[in-house]
Amino acid sequence: QVQLVESGGGLVQPGGSLRLSCAASGSIFSINTMAWYRQAPGKQRELVASILSGGSTTYADSVKGRFTISRDNAKNTVYLQMNSLKCEDTAVYYCNARLIMFGAVRFNDHWGQGTQVTVSS
């Protein structure tokens, strides 16, 4: 089995910073893409940022220049540094990993349980 465990969420004032972490563990052979999604109340889940195993990144337009995604392949961990936070960044943030397990024949998506980020004064 595979587990994705997120940490780092919380309450922060507008303009503040938070750093999210997500560690994948279990019978993992290889991880392709790691990503962060978020879902605000009453809205659909949306992609925030993603990073390939080689380091290429993509960002949602709403977070470009404020958020930075990175990963440590040796630790199967992905990070999201969030700066200049805005009230509209408030959401539950979910970690995603597209990986292949030992003995498997294809990549599958795995999700973390989510961590709440609240930006409020």
Side-chain angles (χ1 to χ4, degrees):
Q1 296 300 324
V2 172
Q3 279 191 318
L4 272 63
V5 179
E6 298 134 336
S7 60
L11 173 64
V12 64
Q13 292 186 339
S17 298
L18 282 175
R19 188 187 193 219
L20 305 182
S21 300
C22 172
S25 62
S27 185
I28 298 170
F29 176 72
S30 178
I31 302 178
N32 184 1
T33 307
M34 299 190 84
W36 289 96
Y37 288 73
R38 66 186 181 188
Q39 187 167 19
K43 294 188 176 181
Q44 289 189 331
R45 189 174 297 190
E46 64 173 355
L47 175 66
V48 176
S50 65
I51 183 168
L52 299 179
S53 57
S56 297
T57 58
T58 58
Y59 294 93
D61 287 343
S62 59
V63 306
K64 281 181 182 177
R66 300 189 298 123
F67 291 10
T68 302
I69 189 170
S70 61
R71 66 190 278 179
D72 185 333
N73 291 330
K75 296 181 179 180
N76 287 339
T77 300
V78 64
Y79 307 96
L80 186 67
Q81 178 66 44
M82 304 185 292
N83 299 328
S84 302
L85 281 160
K86 305 176 181 180
C87 294
E88 50 263 44
D89 294 318
T90 295
V92 177
Y93 284 70
Y94 296 91
C95 172
N96 169 273
R98 180 160 293 174
L99 60 86
I100 185 167
M101 298 173 62
F102 282 105
V105 296
R106 64 177 183 267
F107 285 85
N108 284 301
D109 282 324
H110 295 260
W111 294 88
Q113 79 285 356
T115 185
Q116 177 70 46
V117 171
T118 302
V119 185
S120 175
S121 54

